[in-house]
Amino acid sequence: MGKLIRAISGNGMAVCYALDSTDMVGELERIHQSSAVVTAATGRLLTAASIMGSMLKGEGHSITLGVSGGGPAGSVIAVADAAGNAKAYATNPVVEIPLNPRGKLDVSGAVGREGKLYVIRDQGRGEPYVGLVPLASGEIAEDITSYFATSEQVPTVCALGVLVDTDLTVKAAGGYLLQLLPGAGEEEISQVEQNTLAMPPVTQLICDGLTPEELALRALAGMEPRVLDARTVEYRCDCTRQRMAAALASLGAGELRVMAEEDGQAELCCHFCRDRFTFPREELLEMASRKEESQPRQP
């Protein structure tokens, strides 16, 4: 499980969320068997989604982050609930490209740099809120920062990292999101800039043994910070056979009958957890019959 904490400055002008998502991204890699650069990209987005999910107000609310940048990894999508539990996948989980000029995994090269980041907040009723911004870099953290500045007008610093070991397992993963709240002045801005510029990469701090509490307090150093709360979060997929059946039933009666007669069954695979659900011929025919019965009769 991961650990997610929320801390605030003494004057209430800055709040920081920090997450050690090593176990969550490790589970992501185990499920998808992704290459190192895709694990890094998807793991960063998963970490951001978990943090942003925990910022939602109500039970049953969810947030979806999607990056479509035209890179070989295809679309990268992460979904989190209001507790911070999250799931993610990339269209193409195995991508092999050279390291970037700094000798690091080329996340923006895998994701692409020409495209959009979209954020969907679903409160479980009515139309969800959708925000869409051009990618700032394809490195994910910069794109999240740009989203908050552009769509929500909230000054934000976001740092995300995933360190993949030589055997492709996840050695460290995590991130923090620091926001200045309404009323923050030049003193708070200057202190935040000073702190974050001095901080090493997130994965280095986690490898050095820093806890999420220590990470957040370091980001808010000099501002009399205190921890507000902490929670455990995990990689969690909420797919069920019932939901898959509902998706299958959205097809037309004719399509269901063709599938039943030609294939003898239907098999659906969840993008997020890779679980497979099989629907035999008889069930497909029953779905088709129900759809036909529900159609209005022609005069």
Side-chain angles (χ1 to χ4, degrees), residues 129-214:
Y129 164 83
V130 180
L132 187 70
V133 295
L135 290 178
S137 69
E139 291 287 333
I140 310 300
E142 292 91 337
D143 305 305
I144 298 295
T145 298
S146 174
Y147 162 76
F148 277 106
T150 303
S151 290
E152 302 196 8
Q153 290 79 52
V154 179
T156 301
V157 177
C158 181
L160 304 165
V162 176
L163 179 61
V164 181
D165 214 336
T166 54
D167 63 356
L168 299 184
T169 60
V170 176
K171 190 172 183 180
Y176 64 86
L177 192 151
L178 192 158
Q179 293 187 323
L180 291 172
L181 303 180
E186 290 300 322
E187 183 178 349
E188 288 81 18
I189 294 171
S190 177
Q191 186 67 61
V192 165
E193 288 179 345
Q194 178 182 323
N195 292 348
T196 54
L197 286 173
M199 290 179 71
V202 172
T203 51
Q204 180 180 328
L205 294 171
I206 292 173
C207 285
D208 288 345
L210 264 71
T211 64
E213 291 93 340
E214 292 168 327

Side-chain angles (χ1 to χ4, degrees), residues 25 32-33 48 50 58 71 105 113 131 134 142 172 183 197 212 241 254 298:
V25 181
H32 297 286
Q33 296 293 290
S50 177
L105 293 172
R113 303 172 180 86
E142 292 91 337
L197 286 173
R241 194 176 191 281
Q298 297 295 327

